[in-house]
């Protein structure tokens, strides 16, 4: 429940970002100055301003809470809000720590909202399911704990679809999250709440997770960045199963590559509870990223629609080829390529491993008839299919996955990075659960329209979704870049070069200011 002392910005000048309301009551008889212009700052600028005492943590928190109160109802991105008075107390404590010469880290005093699939010890984690609504885990997840230790203050959770299933963020607990650019459209998913909150400037950076494009699809729909790290880069857990399920990973989302890298530096690194975690020092992601010269001579393999196999909505490929043109202007080469691997085999591999993973994680619920009826139809379908798979099916799927990785290694002998659209359709009506048809082709499952992301998901390689631009209707699309395993830093460098070239669409933003 949000405190009645919630602050409100009543008016913002579209040119300066300065509000007519200069201060707000906190509920304890004091007032806090609002600094609305800081909403336009990216996280790196905000972190610097906090540490140089240009702004206080209390000012930052009051300003963000006022903004969330004003604009979150438009998109329904942040849920399970924490009491404002409690948040102001935490901000006050962060200021005291800075007064004493102590900083917790880059996120010190910065408001954050954790995706509602990741455990938080002091905020309910509903998983978008009525079966878990209002339930608070006993401990933070590994990534959440790292962000908390780095000084973040959690104001709530970001909305996600039930159990993260489907690239459309809606559920029966909190409702649907709407696209920041057009509130009649969906936000993508499953990190749709995080993406919409970022685009609406309710958060300076955000965490997310990605199994079937959940960091990439919503980033594409919001003209921001989503980064799926190399598998093992960001340890997941703790959980009951830490060896078998290797399809999903957590990672960062941001409005700038520098912010993306800084958040990854906090999230990444080994943990003894995650034996498959990568051991490289995550501090490498804190280094300054180079300019446009880093992509001169870069070799890009453009998979496009896999030689016609993947149906694409009109305009998707055009937008993405426009983004690839930026790399060509910087001295990169772009060649059309078709992998020496049948996409039908890749899809069957994905179905088998995903169904097995989902069935395993939800088996306890399924076995209880009273709780089973609380699962949405897509979840029930995944479990039914997974329960029908044999051990030999799983083995064969893993062999297929291994063969895909081998095919990628051959491609990486010729290319530094591979490119694909981040989605096969633009954002669609928020009332539509999932597209049943793409370019005249019927979709036979609720997630077939996102088949374009599984080459990256099954590879275990780092994948970034770059803002690729907009179609004639003003809908955003993203461009996936897949780099070789553990080449996360190189991928960030190439993304930084793209950003430094300043394609005009990177400067566009939705109407995130409160109504006057």
């Amino acid at each position: 429940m949000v405190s009645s002392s919630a602050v409100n910005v009543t008016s913002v000048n579209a040119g300066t970002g300065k509000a007519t309301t200069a201060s707000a009551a906190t509920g304890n008889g004091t007032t806090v100055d609002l600094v609305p212009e800081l909403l336009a700052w990216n996280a790196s600028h905000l972190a610097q301003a906090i540490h140089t005492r240009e702004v206080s943590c209390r000012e930052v928190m009051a300003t963000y809470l006022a903004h969330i109160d004003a604009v979150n109802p438009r998109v329904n991105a942040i849920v399970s809000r924490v009491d404002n008075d409690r948040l102001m107390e935490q901000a006050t404590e962060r200021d005291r720590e800075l007064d004493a010469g102590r900083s917790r880290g880059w996120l010190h005093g910065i408001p954050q909202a954790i995706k509602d699939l990741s455990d938080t010890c002091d905020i309910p984690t509903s998983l978008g399911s009525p079966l878990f609504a209002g339930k608070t885990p006993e401990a933070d997840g590994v990534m959440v704990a790292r962000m908390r230790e780095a000084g973040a203050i959690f104001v709530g959770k970001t909305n996600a679809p039930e159990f993260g299933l489907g690239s459309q963020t809606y559920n029966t607990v909190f409702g649907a999250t709407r696209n920041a650019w057009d509130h009649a459209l969906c936000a993508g998913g499953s990190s749709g709440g995080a993406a919409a909150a970022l685009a609406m400037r309710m958060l300076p950076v955000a965490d997310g997770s990605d199994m079937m494009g959940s960091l990439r699809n919503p980033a594409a729909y919001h003209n921001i960045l989503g980064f799926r790290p190399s598998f093992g880069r960001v340890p997941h857990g703790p959980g009951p199963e830490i060896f078998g399920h290797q399809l999903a990973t957590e990672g960062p989302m941001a409005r700038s590559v520098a912010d993306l890298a800084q958040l990854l530096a906090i999230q990444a690194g080994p943990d003894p509870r995650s034996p498959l975690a990568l051991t490289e020092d995550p501090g490498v992601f804190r280094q300054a990223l180079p300019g446009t010269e880093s992509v001169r001579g870069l070799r890009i393999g453009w998979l496009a629609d896999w030689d016609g196999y993947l149906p694409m909505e009109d305009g998707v490929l055009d937008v993405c080829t426009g983004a690839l043109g930026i790399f060509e202007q910087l001295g990169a080469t772009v060649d059309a390529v078709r992998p020496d691997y049948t996409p039908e085999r890749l899809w069957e591999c994905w179905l088998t491993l995903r169904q097995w993973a989902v069935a395993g994680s939800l088996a306890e619920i399924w076995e209880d008839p009273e709780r089973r009826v609380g699962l949405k139809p897509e979840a029930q379908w995944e479990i039914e299919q997974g329960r029908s798979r044999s051990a030999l099916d799983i083995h064969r799927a893993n062999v297929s996955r291994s063969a895909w990785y081998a095919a990628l290694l051959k491609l990486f002998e010729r290319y530094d990075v591979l490119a694909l659209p981040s989605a096969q359709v633009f954002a669609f009506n928020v009332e539509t659960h999932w597209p049943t048809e793409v370019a005249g082709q019927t979709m036979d499952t609720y997630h077939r329209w996102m088949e374009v992301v599984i080459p990256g998901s099954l590879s275990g390689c780092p994948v970034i979704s770059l803002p690729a631009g907009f179609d004639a209707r003003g809908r955003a699309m993203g461009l996936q870049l897949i780099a070789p395993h553990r080449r996360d830093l190189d991928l960030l460098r190439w993304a930084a070069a793209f950003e430094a070239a300043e394609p005009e669409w990177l400067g566009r933003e939705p109407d995130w200011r409160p109504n006057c």
Side-chain angles (χ1 to χ4, degrees):
M1 178 66 68
V2 180
S3 167
S4 61
S5 63
V7 292
N8 288 284
V9 174
T10 58
S11 178
V12 173
N13 181 285
T16 66
K18 293 185 178 180
T20 59
T21 299
S23 61
T26 63
N28 58 6
T30 63
T31 60
V32 177
D33 288 336
L34 299 175
V35 191
E37 57 263 39
L38 66 78
L39 296 171
W41 299 345
N42 283 336
S44 295
H45 186 169
L46 180 59
Q48 181 181 25
I50 288 173
H51 284 87
T52 59
R53 311 316 299 275
E54 180 182 345
V55 292
S56 70
C57 297
R58 284 173 58 81
E59 290 170 327
V60 170
M61 182 57 69
T63 300
Y64 266 93
L65 291 178
H67 186 60
I68 292 169
D69 286 343
V71 305
N72 191 52
R74 299 184 200 168
V75 293
N76 189 36
I78 297 179
V79 299
S80 298
R81 284 280 303 279
V82 176
D83 181 87
N84 283 356
D85 290 341
R86 177 179 157 196
L87 294 170
M88 292 302 298
E89 290 171 1
Q90 293 181 61
T92 299
E93 179 58 28
R94 296 293 193 277
D95 281 327
R96 292 195 187 106
E97 291 170 348
L98 290 177
D99 290 339
R102 181 194 169 204
S103 167
R104 299 190 185 198
W106 186 70
L107 288 173
H108 189 100
I110 290 181
Q112 285 291 276
I114 298 296
K115 184 176 177 179
D116 201 23
L117 302 184
S118 296
D119 285 352
T120 45
C121 68
D122 52 356
I123 307 174
T125 299
S126 77
L127 308 174
S129 168
L131 299 173
F132 290 89
K135 295 184 178 180
T136 303
E138 295 182 357
D140 287 339
V142 173
M143 181 204 67
V144 173
R146 289 176 172 179
M147 292 177 65
R148 192 190 298 273
E149 290 164 3
I153 301 176
F154 300 147
V155 303
K157 305 298 282 280
T158 53
N159 202 22
E162 183 179 318
F163 300 111
L165 299 177
S167 291
Q168 217 281 52
T169 298
Y170 69 93
N171 58 62
T172 59
V173 181
F174 299 111
T177 296
R178 296 175 177 269
N179 192 288
W181 290 87
D182 183 341
H183 304 333
L185 302 181
C186 70
S190 61
S191 304
L198 263 176
M200 293 295 288
R201 302 264 172 178
M202 290 186 281
L203 298 174
V205 287
D207 71 285
S209 56
D210 188 304
M211 186 179 194
M212 195 176 178
S214 295
L215 280 160
R216 293 164 278 165
N217 158 283
Y221 285 177
H222 285 88
N223 201 42
I224 60 174
L225 298 148
F227 190 81
R228 177 188 168 102
S230 290
F231 194 84
R233 180 72 65 194
V234 177
H236 184 71
E241 199 280 295
I242 58 175
F243 286 101
H245 179 16
Q246 298 184 44
L247 298 178
T249 181
E250 293 168 310
M253 304 179 80
R255 296 187 297 263
S256 76
V257 180
D259 289 354
L260 198 72
Q262 290 287 342
L263 184 54
L264 180 61
I266 291 169
Q267 296 174 334
D271 185 283
R273 294 167 294 180
S274 182
L276 303 180
L278 301 182
T279 58
E280 290 96 335
D281 180 7
V284 299
F285 300 114
R286 297 190 182 96
Q287 63 185 259
L289 297 170
T292 57
E293 69 280 357
S294 66
V295 298
R296 190 171 302 279
L298 184 72
R299 302 165 301 169
I300 302 175
W302 172 226
L303 278 65
D305 59 2
W306 207 306
D307 201 21
Y309 169 78
L310 296 168
M312 296 279 173
E313 183 177 356
D314 286 346
V316 170
L317 294 178
D318 292 337
V319 171
C320 290
T321 53
L324 287 170
I326 299 297
F327 283 103
E328 291 179 306
Q329 293 171 22
L330 297 176
T333 60
V334 178
D335 296 327
V337 62
R338 180 185 173 109
D340 185 19
Y341 192 96
T342 61
E344 294 88 351
R345 182 184 181 189
L346 200 65
W347 176 246
E348 181 57 35
C349 165
W350 177 258
L351 282 182
T352 301
L353 294 179
R354 178 182 171 95
Q355 291 163 359
W356 167 67
V358 173
S361 64
L362 299 179
E364 183 178 346
I365 296 174
W366 175 266
E367 290 163 2
D368 182 343
E370 293 185 2
R371 302 178 74 196
R372 183 188 304 175
V373 296
L375 295 170
K376 70 177 184 178
E378 292 83 356
Q380 294 191 33
W381 176 80
E382 292 276 15
I383 299 168
E384 289 170 349
Q385 295 296 309
R387 288 169 62 89
S388 70
R389 300 287 187 176
S390 69
L392 187 56
D393 290 335
I394 307 306
H395 170 74
R396 287 171 176 158
N398 279 318
V399 169
S400 293
R401 184 180 188 182
S402 301
W404 167 238
Y405 186 73
L408 278 177
L409 291 181
K410 290 182 179 179
L411 284 175
F412 285 135
E413 292 175 1
R414 298 162 49 200
Y415 301 103
D416 300 300
V417 65
L418 302 174
L420 284 159
S422 294
Q424 292 167 238
V425 298
F426 292 97
F428 47 88
N429 189 287
V430 70
E431 303 298 332
T432 300
H433 287 182
W434 49 275
T436 58
E437 181 180 287
V438 178
Q441 184 171 317
T442 300
M443 300 292 99
D444 56 356
T445 73
Y446 76 100
H447 48 21
R448 189 69 181 253
W449 61 278
M450 282 298 297
E451 189 173 0
V452 71
V453 302
I454 67 170
S457 293
L458 285 171
S459 72
C461 295
V463 192
I464 194 169
S465 178
L466 297 177
F470 296 80
D471 74 345
R473 292 173 52 187
R475 297 174 297 176
M477 180 47 61
L479 176 71
Q480 293 182 85
L481 296 182
I482 307 172
H485 189 50
R486 303 194 184 191
R487 297 278 296 276
D488 306 59
L489 183 57
D490 285 333
L491 191 53
L492 290 167
R493 286 171 174 158
W494 300 328
F498 176 86
E499 182 181 67
E502 298 182 344
E504 61 85 16
W505 59 83
L506 289 186
R508 299 188 198 178
E509 56 185 19
D511 180 12
W512 53 265
R513 293 173 175 83
N515 294 322
C516 297

